[in-house]
């Protein structure tokens, strides 16, 4: 019920509150999505640095267009930027990741280390867009906000060089007001050059403008960028004190007398509290205004009850609204101390997962709907926390975590107190500090300088920066070594333990440092290939049944035993929820993706998924593996494994009991038996009563294709996505666990295929295609709506299999 409500609220809150706002005031601020209809050129275009203002050429509107189809341009010559050959450009919508569109290349020099980028070639690219600005916008403050460009981006508008932003994970913003053409002055051009040749991490990072872009228009008297800070310094059962700090900017050359009105709005869209302040702001001045109000009959935010409020900020001059601004917040208390994590006054074990941002078939250009899908999958397994590894996430993920109910460990990319380093850290803090889901900041992950004196000095500066910008939260660092050296841990509020279970390091450290505040920032690292039960250097597969490589982690779920036994550890972030591109430990070529997840890159569960579902939920669970299709192994010894949260499990083979075992919490059960084809059945008991069962059968040969979409309807907005699971089944409708049939897709109607995948970490098939081989019974196709209503039909076919068609309505 809570999950359904959260989903409903997230998708409808914006429109619902917009209606309330229209009734109370007229918004003078607009935030327009700027994702559609960009031109993209793959590859570098030489740009000569001009010494006089105005770059011209492709950075401006009056660029000569070369019409000859057989023309070849030398883009290494700067004169190439003075004209445009349309055939070398194509239209794309953002978010866009051009790296995922390429072929796999066996080049160990790609990325920061061999295989880091998943053997997909990075490079340089150029984005260009023509657009118009109304005459009525003249005199406004107009800026462009890039949520994320990977990486090293340089921006021109109408021939003017605006700036460069190095980070691929923090937002960049440029004031366009002076450089735009308004109304009859003519069209505008923005050009963005992206250099993704240098990595920032050791995983797949993609290439391009891979997050949303926005045009923001305000009055010159307005709330500053990320200009509100809402906290609840005092919370009781009856009421909460709300502190609102608002930064106002006056970009006029005269003094402005202002009334600042802050309205607190509940989930029903009702104004429940109002605060008004009056002040004067000097010419070109900036002022922070502090206000305090009270919420009575409050609704607490937690992962189980993700209740949200909004502050509507209205800026008045001479009785007229000149700017409005909205800030979503939640009321909750978080205390992290030497005894554990306490949410709203109660011990709250954090059931977390580590997550990179890519997804099957689409790379890092992840539509909002797909991010929502990923979070929904995590909620279903019982997770209540999300670690953004190892960088700040796209803003929409945080909005979703607020709404769906998911704690967040928001992570900074680099250990750095340089100017750029502190600017990136500050951008994360200012952008994200109002999200109730964020319970702690992580300032770095596994940096080599952990435990050094120099590292401690750098970290202390970063900690001080974080405390200044957001004194309401504690900070940590995800440490995998030297936790007791160099004074490094001493400057942190919370010492993060990555793989602290090694030799029980966190228990020994607690004995030596009883007042140390600890948290398990990362653990597990159990590698497995979905549907595989053999460790093989030749096949590049890792068994779901046994620990092999790497050997530093436990079986899935076993790590939770320490959190229960030692509650002062606060919780755990499992490495990882989903498989991800790059870092294919323990392999290299031809493997192109990791195998750390308890879900594959498509979100199909591996066996370890059920270990965490058993540990993290009260839903009666019993799961047995491996599959039961073992032609040629009749009469041979075999082990059957089970993850469960039942008291006892009894296993049957073809109706005969193999034995009943008592379960040990967070440990898997194992039976030895002789393989015979047929039916395996596990029955789970609690307090002596049968509460659940799991059945695995020997199937027949593949006979048909089954399609299952996560939705029946899509918004006809050009953005919404249907995630369609493809299963290969026998004549009785059972998934064939070893099927690898090639499935071809056809689509009709107002939609398009944006990616295909199958969860095979060794597959070199193209992700941008209309076909995919099944991997151990499954593959996936992602379908995105166009901007037209109608019936989208997707047909899946394969040689010798019965085809199938599914319909999705776009409206």
């Amino acid at each position: 019920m809570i999950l359904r409500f959260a989903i409903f609220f997230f998708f409808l809150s914006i429109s619902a509150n917009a209606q309330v706002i229209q009734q109370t005031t007229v918004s003078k601020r607009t935030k327009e999505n700027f994702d559609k209809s960009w031109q993209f050129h793959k590859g570098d275009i030489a740009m000569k640095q001009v010494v006089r203002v105005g770059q011209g050429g492709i950075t401006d509107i009056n660029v000569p267009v070369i019409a000859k189809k057989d023309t070849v341009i030398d883009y290494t010559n700067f004169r190439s930027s003075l004209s445009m050959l349309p055939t070398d450009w194509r239209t794309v919508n953002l978010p866009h990741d051009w790296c995922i569109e390429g072929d796999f290349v066996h080049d160990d020099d790609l990325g920061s280390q061999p295989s880091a980028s998943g053997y997909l070639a990075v490079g340089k690219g150029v984005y260009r867009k023509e657009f118009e600005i109304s005459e009525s916008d003249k005199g406004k403050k107009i800026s462009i906000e890039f949520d994320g460009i990977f990486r090293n981006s340089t921006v021109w508008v109408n021939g003017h060089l605006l700036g460069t932003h190095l980070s691929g994970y923090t937002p960049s913003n440029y004031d366009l007001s002076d450089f735009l053409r308004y109304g009859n002055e003519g069209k505008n051009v923005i050009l963005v050059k992206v250099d993704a040749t240098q990595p920032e991490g050791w995983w797949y990072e993609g290439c391009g403008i891979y997050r949303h872009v926005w045009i923001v228009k305000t009055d010159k008297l307005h709330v500053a960028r990320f200009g509100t800070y809402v906290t609840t310094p005092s919370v009781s059962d009856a009421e909460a004190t709300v502190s609102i700090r608002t930064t106002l900017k006056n970009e006029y050359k005269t003094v402005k007398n202002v009334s600042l009105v802050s309205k607190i709005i509940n989930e029903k869209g009702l104004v429940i509290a109002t605060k008004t302040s009056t002040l004067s702001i000097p010419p070109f001045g900036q002022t922070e205004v502090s206000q305090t109000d009270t919420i009575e009959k409050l609704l607490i935010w937690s992962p189980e009850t993700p209740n949200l409020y909004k502050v509507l900020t209205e800026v008045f001059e001479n009785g007229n609204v000149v700017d409005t601004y909205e800030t979503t917040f939640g009321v909750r208390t978080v205390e992290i101390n030497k005894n554990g994590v306490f949410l709203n006054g109660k011990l709250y074990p954090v059931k977390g997962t580590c997550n990179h941002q890519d997804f099957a078939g689409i790379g890092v250009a992840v539509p909002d709907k797909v991010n929502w899908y990923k979070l929904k999958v995590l909620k279903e397994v019982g997770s209540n926390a999300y670690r953004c590894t190892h960088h700040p996430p796209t803003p929409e993920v945080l909005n979703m975590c607020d709404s769906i109910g998911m704690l967040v460990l928001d992570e900074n990319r680099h250990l750095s107190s340089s100017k750029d380093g502190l600017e990136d850290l500050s951008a994360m803090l200012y952008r994200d500090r109002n999200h109730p889901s964020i319970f702690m900041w992580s300032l770095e992950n596994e940096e080599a300088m952990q435990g050094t004196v120099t590292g401690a000095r750098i970290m202390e500066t970063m900690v001080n920066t974080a405390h200044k910008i957001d004194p309401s939260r504690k900070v940590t660092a995800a440490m995998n070594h030297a936790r007791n050296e160099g004074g490094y841990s001493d400057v942190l509020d919370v010492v993060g333990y990555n793989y602290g279970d090694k030799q029980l390091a966190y228990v020994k450290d607690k004995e030596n440092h009883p007042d140390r505040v600890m948290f398990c920032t990362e653990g597990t690292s159990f590698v497995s290939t979905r549907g595989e039960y053999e460790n093989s250097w030749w096949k590049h597969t890792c068994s779901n049944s046994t620990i092999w490589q790497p050997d530093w982690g436990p079986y899935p779920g076993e790590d939770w035993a320490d959190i229960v036994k030692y509650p002062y550890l606060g919780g755990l972030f499992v490495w990882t929820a989903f498989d991800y591109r790059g870092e294919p430990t323990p392999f290299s070529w031809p493997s192109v993706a990791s195998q750390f997840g308890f879900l594959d890159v498509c979100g199909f569960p591996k066996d370890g998924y059920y270990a965490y579902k058993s540990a993290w939920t009260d839903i009666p669970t019993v799961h047995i593996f491996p599959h039961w299709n073992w032609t040629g192994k009749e009469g041979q010894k075999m082990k059957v494994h089970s993850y469960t949260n039942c008291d006892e499990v009894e296993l049957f083979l073809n109706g005969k009991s193999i034995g009943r075992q008592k379960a040990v919490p967070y440990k898997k059960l194992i039976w030895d038996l002789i393989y015979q084809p047929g039916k395996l059945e596990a029955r789970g008991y609690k307090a002596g009563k049968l509460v659940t069962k799991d059945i695995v059968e020997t199937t027949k040969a593949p006979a048909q294709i089954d399609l299952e979409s996560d939705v029946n309807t899509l918004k006809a907005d050009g953005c919404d996505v249907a995630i369609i699971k493809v299963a290969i089944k026998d004549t009785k409708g059972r998934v064939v666990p070893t099927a690898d049939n090639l499935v071809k897709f056809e689509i009709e109607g107002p939609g398009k295929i944006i990616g295909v995948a199958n969860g095979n970490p060794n597959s070199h098939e193209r992700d941008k295609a209309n076909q995919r081989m099944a991997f151990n019974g499954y593959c996936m196709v992602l379908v995105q709506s166009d901007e037209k209503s109608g019936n989208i039909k997707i047909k899946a076919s394969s040689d010798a299999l019965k085809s199938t068609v599914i319909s999705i309505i776009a409206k």
Side-chain angles (χ1 to χ4, degrees), residues 4 46 58 91 99 141 143 159 165 180 200 265 280 298 315 409 478 496 587 607 665 702 726 751 767 802:
R4 291 197 297 270
I58 60 173
T91 301
C99 189
K141 169 87 169 183
S143 61
H165 187 75
L180 293 172
E200 290 191 50
I265 301 172
S280 295
L298 61 90
V315 182
L409 180 62
F587 307 115
D607 296 301
V726 184
D767 293 274
K802 182 181 178 181

Side-chain angles (χ1 to χ4, degrees), residues 350-649:
V350 173
K351 306 169 182 177
T353 63
C354 299
N355 297 275
H356 282 308
Q357 62 182 344
D358 65 306
F359 190 71
I362 50 179
V364 296
V366 183
D368 295 345
K369 164 59 188 301
V370 176
N371 276 322
W372 181 259
Y373 176 81
K374 292 174 68 176
L375 289 172
K376 183 173 176 288
V377 169
L378 295 180
K379 288 285 286 190
E380 289 169 351
V381 78
S383 175
N384 61 22
Y386 183 100
R387 179 182 171 210
C388 311
T389 49
H390 299 291
H391 51 76
T394 186
E396 286 72 26
V397 165
L398 297 178
N399 294 336
M400 294 172 192
C401 288
D402 291 343
S403 179
I404 201 172
M406 185 76 76
L407 292 171
V408 174
L409 180 62
D410 201 351
E411 191 155 88
N412 180 58
R413 177 63 212 98
H414 293 293
L415 174 67
S416 176
S417 58
S418 68
K419 179 176 179 292
D420 286 343
L422 292 179
E423 285 180 353
D424 286 341
L425 172 61
S426 298
M428 177 186 78
L429 296 166
Y430 280 119
R431 188 196 71 172
D432 298 347
R433 61 183 180 173
N434 289 313
H435 289 280
S437 55
I438 298 173
F439 76 105
M440 184 164 56
W441 305 107
S442 174
L443 301 191
E444 58 92 352
N445 172 77
E446 297 183 355
E447 292 278 0
M449 295 192 72
Q450 290 177 350
T452 67
V453 174
T454 302
R457 283 197 294 266
I458 295 171
M459 177 54 68
E460 186 169 21
T461 298
M462 296 174 69
V463 170
N464 291 339
T465 300
H467 287 168
K468 179 181 178 181
I469 295 173
D470 179 28
S472 73
R473 291 178 179 86
K474 292 185 175 180
V475 302
T476 188
M479 301 182 67
N480 66 342
H481 66 281
R483 302 180 189 95
N484 301 311
E485 301 172 16
Y488 198 93
S489 294
D490 297 336
V491 303
L492 295 168
D493 301 323
V494 179
V495 181
Y497 280 74
N498 284 14
Y499 308 99
D501 58 326
K502 292 182 181 180
Q503 293 82 48
L504 286 179
Y506 40 46
V507 176
K508 295 175 182 177
D509 283 357
K510 189 66 173 179
E511 293 172 353
N512 295 324
H513 307 276
D515 292 327
R516 176 175 288 181
V517 182
M518 300 175 160
F519 191 92
C520 292
T521 40
E522 185 175 315
T524 315
S525 281
F526 179 79
V527 294
S528 59
T529 315
R530 178 180 57 78
E532 295 290 335
Y533 302 94
E534 177 187 8
N535 295 314
S536 173
W537 289 108
W538 177 68
K539 292 174 58 180
H540 279 211
T541 59
C542 296
S543 172
N544 285 262
S545 303
T546 57
I547 293 175
W548 184 43
Q549 297 282 340
D551 59 359
W552 64 71
Y555 283 106
E558 288 186 358
D559 41 11
W560 192 246
D562 278 359
I563 307 305
V564 174
K565 186 176 181 179
Y566 309 110
Y568 58 78
L569 295 175
L572 168 71
F573 284 101
V574 175
W575 189 267
T576 55
F578 294 83
D579 286 347
Y580 53 94
R581 293 182 178 278
E583 199 178 14
T585 307
F587 307 115
S588 56
W589 182 268
S591 293
V592 296
S594 85
Q595 303 190 39
F596 285 114
F598 58 71
L599 301 150
D600 71 14
V601 71
C602 299
F604 295 133
K606 304 181 188 180
D607 296 301
Y609 168 94
Y610 298 94
Y612 289 103
K613 186 174 182 179
S614 297
W616 288 348
T617 77
D618 295 325
I619 300 170
T621 301
V622 60
H623 171 76
I624 50 174
F625 57 101
H627 61 75
W628 214 236
N629 282 30
W630 298 101
T631 301
K633 292 192 176 184
E634 292 82 359
Q636 296 183 23
K637 292 182 179 180
M638 186 165 290
K639 294 181 183 296
V640 173
H641 306 252
S642 176
Y643 291 119
T644 186
N645 56 10
C646 296
D647 299 335
E648 294 180 301
V649 176

Side-chain angles (χ1 to χ4, degrees), residues 92 214 310 330 361 549 603 612 693 717 725 730:
V92 299
W214 310 90
K310 286 187 178 181
Q549 297 282 340
Y612 289 103
K693 64 174 64 176
D717 58 2
K725 299 177 182 178
D730 67 6

Side-chain angles (χ1 to χ4, degrees), residues 662-680:
K662 290 186 177 180
V664 177
Y666 321 119
K667 294 280 188 179
K668 67 175 178 172
L669 302 176
I670 302 175
W671 289 264
D672 292 302
L673 68 165
I674 302 299
Y675 174 69
Q676 297 174 11
K679 178 181 177 180
L680 271 180

Side-chain angles (χ1 to χ4, degrees), residues 650-653 656-660 671-674 680:
E650 187 170 11
L651 182 68
F652 294 83
L653 175 58
K656 181 181 178 181
S657 177
I658 305 300
R660 184 161 171 164
W671 289 264
D672 292 302
L673 68 165
I674 302 299
L680 271 180

Side-chain angles (χ1 to χ4, degrees), residues 48 50 91 138 149 333 344 448 503 593 677 680 687 733 736-737:
K48 186 176 183 179
V50 299
T91 301
K138 188 181 294 184
I149 304 173
T333 63
N344 300 319
Q503 293 82 48
L680 271 180
V736 181

